[in-house]
Amino acid sequence: MEMPPARLSHLFMTVFLSSFSAFMVIPAITDVTMAAICPGQDECSLAIYLTGFQQVITGIGTLVMMPLVGNLSDAYGRKLLLTVPMCLGITPLAVLAYSRTTKFFYAYYVLRTLTAMICDGSIQCLALAYVADNVSENRRAMVFGILSGIGSCAFVFGNLSARFLSTSITFQAATVIAVLAMLYMRIFLPESIRPGSVSLRTKLLHGEEESEDPSIKKQLFEGLPSLDDMISLVKTSSVFSRAASVAFFNNLGEIGLQSSLMYYLKARFHFSKDQFANLMVIAGVTGTASQLLLMPILVPFIGEEKLLSIGLLFSCAHMFLYSIAWSSWVPYTAAMFSIVIVFAQPCLRSLTSKQVGPTEQGKAQGCISGICSFANVISPFVFSPLTALFLSEDAPFRFPGFSIMCVGFVLMIAFTQSIMIRPAPLISRSWGCTCNSSVVVV
């Protein structure tokens, strides 16, 4: 059975539009936060702590929701589950599109925190599962790389737009594009899961025969993944368990960087929206070119395991360079490391997807996303206070980039774990069941 090329092209367009909308507002949100909470200041501990608190609450929510979303998508389909985060993500943007005064900022803050519990990571998780539904195992890393490249391309265009648009127009445009992304997905994206997957999933988990009993929907929720289910999935292979460890430490470092970098650059070099946009455009352009042009060439020759380690090694170097930046041009140089850093995520997700069968792709990606969410909870407790302390007058010693250097050490742990991953035979299984479902090559 041939897969229509339009199927993945519609997924790519959906990911591009939704990512474009999300990335447009990133360069502006630091200035909006500072103006609402600490007007006229370049250093503000309250803003750092609020950002950290939001990341903790979001992480707790996504820790629960990511495995649930992945699991439900195996049963009800990727398209239906994509609709939920894409709709919810529109509301916070609309609030700041209307006004950015202190009252509206706090309304945005609450809405963003609540919706992010479902939205953050859901679209990526479901898009990866959608690709895994339709691409053979030996080509999956390449297509995951292309999907990441599409996201990086949206990152570039989003930041370029923010560079040339005013703050108010940026949020208005992001809201409109988010609505268009949702409508495009609902109209054009075909479903990738066959009807009747609910009964199939119940059979796989509980060893029961398929049934038309209407109580099957209730049984589904009884069978949603518990902590024991997640632990069992992680233990399915040494590759999966090490990949889970890499995902945890990598995300721990990435969230630490996100909570620290912009405040560090604003305090150290007085960066504003335009400088943030320039920095992100450089990272995005190099990352996009690498994922779309270099990665499809390198994966067959080097292998996913080695590319994962190379990406993580450069991530460490990237953090250390940021932490000791002595001039405003150094962060721009560090951003160019993205040409190699971007290899890590697609390779990690591809290794994960190969450890489970076709009917468990949503569950596997949801499990990894849940582990990343657990890191999201822990990271702000460590890096937000550390950043606030070393950017304040009360720092024990003068080293504004100390928290970012600590991020580099965390990523070094992820790198160490990655070099212990060894190639494993391609597996097609489902927790105790062998699945003979075919996977269609794009």
Side-chain angles (χ1 to χ4, degrees), residues 21 90 93-94 97 170-183:
S21 170
I90 296 169
L93 294 174
T170 296
F171 282 97
Q172 291 165 8
T175 304
V176 172
I177 293 168
V179 172
L180 290 175
M182 190 270 294
L183 292 175

Side-chain angles (χ1 to χ4, degrees), residues 43 45 49 385-400:
E43 299 178 19
S45 295
Y49 284 118
L386 205 57
T387 302
L389 175 63
F390 279 88
L391 292 181
S392 71
E393 299 292 332
D394 300 323
F397 51 90
R398 181 67 179 166
F399 192 173

Side-chain angles (χ1 to χ4, degrees), residues 61-62 65-70 73 78 81-86 88 115-129 349 365-366 369 373:
T62 54
M65 294 305 301
M66 286 304 99
L68 176 62
V69 167
S73 75
R78 318 299 182 201
L81 269 293
L82 272 171
T83 305
V84 178
M86 294 186 76
L88 290 176
T115 58
M117 294 182 189
I118 299 174
C119 299
D120 275 20
S122 291
I123 295 174
Q124 181 200 27
C125 172
L126 294 169
L128 290 165
R349 294 291 186 156
Q365 298 299 339
S369 295
S373 298

Side-chain angles (χ1 to χ4, degrees), residues 91-171:
T91 310
L93 294 174
V95 172
L96 289 187
Y98 181 77
S99 177
R100 287 152 305 286
T101 60
T102 301
K103 289 182 179 178
F104 279 93
F105 169 78
Y106 280 113
Y108 159 83
Y109 181 85
V110 172
L111 285 171
R112 169 64 183 153
T113 303
L114 294 175
T115 58
M117 294 182 189
I118 299 174
C119 299
D120 275 20
S122 291
I123 295 174
Q124 181 200 27
C125 172
L126 294 169
L128 290 165
Y130 191 102
V131 169
D133 292 337
N134 302 304
V135 180
S136 63
E137 290 178 331
N138 62 332
R139 301 189 64 192
R140 209 168 279 166
M142 181 185 71
V143 181
F144 280 175
I146 293 172
L147 181 65
S148 295
I150 298 294
S152 297
C153 190
F155 184 81
V156 172
F157 282 99
N159 284 287
L160 276 175
S161 300
R163 178 68 177 81
F164 295 108
L165 296 176
S166 67
T167 300
S168 60
I169 294 176
T170 296
F171 282 97

Side-chain angles (χ1 to χ4, degrees), residues 222-271:
E222 292 175 1
L224 290 178
S226 65
L227 180 59
D228 287 341
D229 293 331
M230 294 296 102
I231 293 172
S232 297
L233 181 56
V234 169
K235 289 181 176 179
T236 53
S237 72
S238 61
V239 172
F240 200 111
S241 60
R242 287 211 169 95
S245 176
V246 170
F248 173 79
F249 286 107
N250 185 47
N251 217 64
L252 188 68
E254 284 186 355
I255 295 300
L257 179 68
Q258 289 176 20
S259 64
S260 308
L261 183 61
M262 289 189 176
Y263 294 109
Y264 163 68
L265 293 177
K266 192 169 186 67
R268 185 84 170 83
F269 302 115
H270 308 289
F271 273 29

